[in-house]
Amino acid sequence: MEKVFFWREIDYGEPIIEKWSNRLNPICVAWHDFLDFIHPRISYVKIDRYDTWSMDSTLADIILPMLKQLKETKHGSPFTDMEDVPEHLRGTTTEDWEPQFTFDFYEEDKVKEGINDIHARWDWIMNEMIFAFEMKVKDTDWSATWEESERIQNGFRLFGKYYQGLWD
């Protein structure tokens, strides 16, 4: 019964594992090729002259839903600079930072104290980026206060700074 439910440590070098892996791999490759055929990756973009007239607004309409989806489905957090987050989120020093602890599939009791602040910092940065793009998409209320204007500018700055951290 234990072999059926895999309640033991799995040795991936066992012949049965290798046998099933060899059988399932072609199915997985075929499924991947099928999905690529149905929904191929876009390898070109047609840009008309009018598309660049208000390019900041056009891009904001694309970027905002992508940021929201990334925030909901992310599987980890990139390293963030302490000066980019508020004081209460600066609990972990860079000397304590461990790159492997940025992935959220580690169990809480095995994570060092303070390391999980990495995710809180990244969530705060993502919220600032989302706020900035929401204000850009809304674009109807020109009466933003000075604090809102600074927050919007900070969100765009963070987007540029952490552009390569926008992965899942």
Side-chain angles (χ1 to χ4, degrees):
M1 196 68 155
E2 288 182 3
K3 288 186 180 186
V4 173
F5 293 105
F6 298 106
W7 287 344
R8 61 181 178 78
E9 189 69 32
I10 298 173
D11 179 15
Y12 291 100
E14 288 183 32
I16 191 162
I17 302 292
E18 189 172 332
K19 182 173 120 179
W20 278 103
S21 176
N22 291 338
R23 288 181 182 173
L24 293 175
N25 190 42
I27 296 169
C28 292
V29 169
W31 182 252
H32 183 267
D33 292 344
F34 174 72
L35 291 177
D36 281 347
F37 177 75
I38 290 175
H39 184 45
R41 183 171 177 86
I42 297 172
S43 59
Y44 70 93
V45 176
K46 183 178 184 319
I47 299 174
D48 294 313
R49 282 195 267 170
Y50 58 82
D51 288 330
T52 56
W53 177 258
S54 183
M55 191 167 74
D56 56 340
S57 295
T58 303
L59 289 175
D61 288 333
I62 298 167
I63 293 169
L64 179 60
M66 292 179 83
L67 285 174
K68 288 180 177 181
Q69 179 179 331
L70 177 64
K71 185 172 187 285
E72 295 300 317
T73 62
K74 67 180 174 56
H75 291 96
S77 300
F79 179 73
T80 57
D81 292 333
M82 296 298 176
E83 64 266 7
D84 291 331
V85 296
E87 203 60 48
H88 69 278
L89 292 174
R90 299 180 187 178
T92 306
T93 63
T94 53
E95 292 82 28
D96 295 334
W97 184 74
E98 185 69 36
Q100 281 300 309
F101 288 116
T102 60
F103 300 101
D104 62 1
F105 53 77
Y106 284 97
E107 297 176 29
E108 279 297 317
D109 60 338
K110 297 194 179 184
V111 176
K112 292 180 187 175
E113 185 177 326
I115 295 295
N116 56 0
D117 291 341
I118 292 169
H119 301 300
R121 287 193 295 271
W122 182 240
D123 283 342
W124 187 88
I125 289 172
M126 289 286 294
N127 286 336
E128 290 300 296
M129 289 190 273
I130 289 170
F131 175 80
F133 281 99
E134 281 177 340
M135 293 294 110
K136 184 65 179 176
V137 167
K138 189 165 85 172
D139 201 35
T140 56
D141 183 18
W142 290 92
S143 63
T145 64
W146 177 253
E147 292 81 22
E148 284 179 330
S149 298
E150 284 184 345
R151 186 175 174 198
I152 292 168
Q153 190 60 36
N154 185 47
F156 291 141
R157 181 188 68 80
L158 292 171
F159 179 79
K161 183 173 183 175
Y162 294 107
Y163 180 78
Q164 291 187 325
L166 299 173
W167 48 263
D168 185 25

